[in-house]
Amino acid sequence: MIPSSLFYDFVDAQVAFKVVQRNLNSPNLVFSVPRAKDGQLRLTMLGSQALVGSPDAVLARLNALLCEDSTSQPQKFSLRQATAGGKLISYLILPEADRGKQMGMPEEISGECRIMPADYPNRERETAVVSALVAQKRSFHLMEMVGKDSFQEIGRLSPHALPREIHEKLAANGFYEESFVSLYGEEAFEEARLKLKETWNNWTATNLDVQHARH
């Protein structure tokens, strides 16, 4: 995902840019965001209908597109699937040459992020923690799926001061286990893992019942 602070740097400076999603086993995808016009932004991708909307809407859709599997048809972003094991995503941001140089921006900005599940299975909402490394700067972000095609940033986090509720869910899913145990103990960690297992089983059973009811 692209941190909102960086995204708004481009919008505020009126610098158009392209984002190249780097895929190892399939062609790279290229997303284009021209300069704002008439108070709105435009997001385009070859072969898809353009999205015209507010900066927040465009960024949320762009982040969802970056997380999609480019080989899937049709493309549908599943946060539950994407976060399994901590999905790693790489991309390259290319600011427009003349305007970008004028505003002191580099020719390209590399980005890499890991999506880690930060929630128990829930039909109403899905959240994740994203560790982003952009231009050699690391940042942590709490993200949430909004609808089916928007991956929206809720706020910033620090791995050194994680709220217990989020830390617990990360640890239960296999991330930052040692720091959680050192802070809250082995018993709390086992309780978190048990809660995840029970919630996951209930969530899976409910989804199977819904699927069976449709047939």
Side-chain angles (χ1 to χ4, degrees), residues 104-117:
M105 295 182 173
E107 294 183 0
E108 61 180 44
I109 301 171
S110 62
E112 182 178 275
C113 61
R114 183 174 295 278
I115 306 175
M116 299 171 286

Side-chain angles (χ1 to χ4, degrees), residues 64-114:
L65 287 167
L66 284 173
C67 296
E68 285 181 345
D69 181 358
S70 63
T71 62
S72 64
Q73 293 293 335
Q75 288 186 339
K76 290 185 178 179
F77 175 51
S78 168
L79 180 59
R80 184 61 52 194
Q81 181 179 5
T83 56
K87 182 173 182 178
L88 188 65
I89 297 164
S90 297
Y91 59 84
L92 197 65
I93 302 176
L94 305 172
E96 59 175 306
D98 293 340
R99 180 67 176 171
K101 185 176 181 180
Q102 181 183 346
M103 300 305 295
M105 295 182 173
E107 294 183 0
E108 61 180 44
I109 301 171
S110 62
E112 182 178 275
C113 61
R114 183 174 295 278

Side-chain angles (χ1 to χ4, degrees), residues 113-164:
C113 61
R114 183 174 295 278
I115 306 175
M116 299 171 286
D119 205 352
Y120 298 120
N122 190 315
R123 292 181 61 84
E124 298 180 0
R125 61 179 300 213
E126 292 181 287
T127 60
V129 169
V130 175
S131 174
L133 179 63
V134 182
Q136 304 303 313
K137 183 178 180 181
R138 175 78 64 183
S139 59
F140 265 57
H141 308 263
L142 183 63
M143 309 285 294
E144 180 180 16
M145 281 298 297
V146 179
K148 295 182 179 180
D149 55 9
S150 295
F151 195 30
Q152 181 171 294
E153 183 176 347
I154 300 174
R156 286 285 298 271
L157 295 170
S158 170
H160 306 296
L162 287 168
R164 176 165 178 167

